[in-house]
Amino acid sequence: MTTDILTLSQDQRRRLNLPVDPPRDPIGGWRSFRAQLQAWLWRHRKSLAIVLPLLVVVALVRLWGLSHGPALADDEGTYVAEAWAVQVKHTLAPYTYWYDHPPFGWFQIAAYTWLTGTFHGAGLHVVAVRRMMVGYAVLDAGLLYMLARRLGLRRIWAAAAIGMWALSPLAVGYSRMVYLDNIALPWVLGAFVLAATPRRSLWAHTAAGALFALGVLSKETMILLLPGLLWLAWQHTDRRTRSFCLVGLWTAGTLVALLYPLMAILRGELVPGHGHVSLVEALKWQFISRPSTGSALSAGTASRSLLDQWISLDGWLLLLGTIGAIGCLVVRRLRAVGVIVVLLVAAGLRPGYLPAPYVIALLPFTALAAAGAADAAWSALRDRPPIPIRRNAPRDHQLRVAGRLLAVAAMISLTAIAVPQWMRGDSALASVNQTAPVAAAEQWLEANARGVDTRTSSVGRDILVDDTMWADLVTAGFPQQRVIWFYKLDYVDNLDPSVRRRIHDYRDFRYVVVSPIIRTGLQQSPAPRYELARLAIAHSATVASFGTGAGRIVIDRVNPATTSTTRSHR
């Protein structure tokens, strides 16, 4: 019987006088790693000298007045409350999870709140989680620079892409907010960076597919970027191994994305059935049954109003990015960026539902398209070696010089116009405290509404609030079942039956916190939607008010004896 030498241990080899493996040298391994790190730092010293200060600028601009603006959005409160449910209750949502979004986004929020102890402290939890979004924004900026360099942009233009995205008030405001799009964006940008790898390796493209799927599981609308990713991967693969790389990207992405329907299958909630929600039903509502906000090209629609809001914050980045995307389409190395911007703009202008955070995924690619088009134009105008046999060579040289001077003048002019507007917009976000009324209303509730006298049957115990206040009040000690999300009272479109089974009468409410979110919801939703909320407000009296203008928050105490005519000022 023979023994394979490969199966012998080191001690057995020594006894048989056979060669043994050399001892491991941990110090030598560390020295090798340190040498490789030093070589990498030296090779990228110029890029690091440019990008590190820019990352500091990105962080500082977004931290400047972070607790002041923009105003809290209902979706932010929803995702923070769902992260609270994951961390504290070990469930997917405070109420019935009905597959409105894949849960991977608020899994990441829950990891952050657990590490930082967010829910053990007081104050506005949405504002606390916005600090997490600043870290994601810094990561976005670094990945955007890497992607620009891998697409062949010069360092100055790669830095310009970050600068436009860093200073734009539209990008600053939305990148602060606790939206799933902000959480998904680093995964997607990481996938694009890997797909543009100069090594053209199979494993890089496979990892790109996995990262992109994680981005989609963070926010499903990121699937709109898939054509651009596939185009980029096609361009950055060797013809001989292209099929293997694309199959690896597609397979890894599909396997990771299938975790979402697999979760629904294991929970018995894939298809509609009696007594439970389903993934198919939620997808049908998202893509078919959801009320349309109209076309952004039609006056008077909600989509047009949202587009006007984006343009009022910063029309320059959207305009330059759209124009730059057209130029990118004619440059092979930048064509994927042009495809992404054109697809996102076309999808945003179509009739249908346009969500407010839709612009988050568009902005970094508009900055990249504008910088990429400028880089390509500069390359076309650069000096070339003269050709002796051409008689018009000196004239061509003069035209190129004139073109470059004209380009420099145009860039200086745009910078002189856009940058001051950006700084004024960023300053406005920091100077106007739009979250103070929310904090004041919560403090009043904690001081006055914690103990409720329930001896009188006509007095309810529940507090009706918007999503932004829910997690704050629950962690402050209010019973979870007594703090009701306003949008859970929408018995027309809401697929969550948990509140409807318990709340049957407006008299169940003790207080109604009428915030801008609730006012907007009532104005945009005709009766009979939110009928219980309308009745509770109609039969209530104001006991506290905070803020002024559109940001005003009113706390009403429900009194069945109050007639609706006394609430006409509402």
Side-chain angles (χ1 to χ4, degrees), residues 54 57-58 61-62 141 160-169 171-172 422 426:
L54 287 174
V57 171
V58 170
V61 172
R62 280 152 180 77
I162 298 180
M164 287 186 287
W165 185 76
L167 297 178
S168 168
V172 171
W422 288 344
D426 295 337

Side-chain angles (χ1 to χ4, degrees), residues 276-287:
H276 68 81
V277 297
S278 72
L279 174 60
V280 172
E281 189 177 11
L283 293 177
K284 178 182 176 182
W285 180 83
Q286 288 277 13
F287 295 103

Side-chain angles (χ1 to χ4, degrees), residues 437 514-516 519 545-554:
V514 185
S515 65
R519 283 197 295 269
S545 178
F546 307 94
T548 59
R552 182 169 175 249
I553 293 180
V554 175

Side-chain angles (χ1 to χ4, degrees), residues 382-388 390 393 397 400:
R382 68 185 177 183
D383 292 335
R384 299 177 181 176
I387 304 176
R390 290 184 57 186
H397 174 73
R400 285 193 295 271

Side-chain angles (χ1 to χ4, degrees), residues 532-557:
L532 292 184
R534 299 178 194 274
L535 289 173
I537 294 174
H539 296 84
S540 63
T542 298
V543 294
S545 178
F546 307 94
T548 59
R552 182 169 175 249
I553 293 180
V554 175
I555 299 179
D556 289 344
R557 180 170 179 171

Side-chain angles (χ1 to χ4, degrees), residues 11-12 137 191 198 208 264 275 303 324 330 396 416-417 482 484 525 540:
D11 292 337
Q12 291 173 332
S303 296
V330 300
D396 293 342
I417 296 173
R482 294 302 175 191
I484 308 299
S525 303
S540 63

Side-chain angles (χ1 to χ4, degrees), residues 77 80-81 84 119 125 467-476 483 485:
V80 171
W84 174 88
F119 295 127
H125 294 323
D467 301 5
T468 63
M469 304 177 68
W470 189 92
D472 299 341
L473 296 179
V474 170
T475 55
V483 183
W485 286 1

Side-chain angles (χ1 to χ4, degrees), residues 212-240:
F212 186 80
L214 291 175
V216 173
L217 291 181
S218 299
K219 184 61 182 293
E220 66 279 2
T221 54
M222 291 295 167
I223 195 67
L224 294 173
L225 303 177
L226 181 59
L229 179 68
L230 294 176
W231 195 303
L232 190 66
W234 178 278
Q235 290 182 327
H236 288 79
T237 50
D238 188 271
R239 182 174 56 85
R240 295 165 296 181

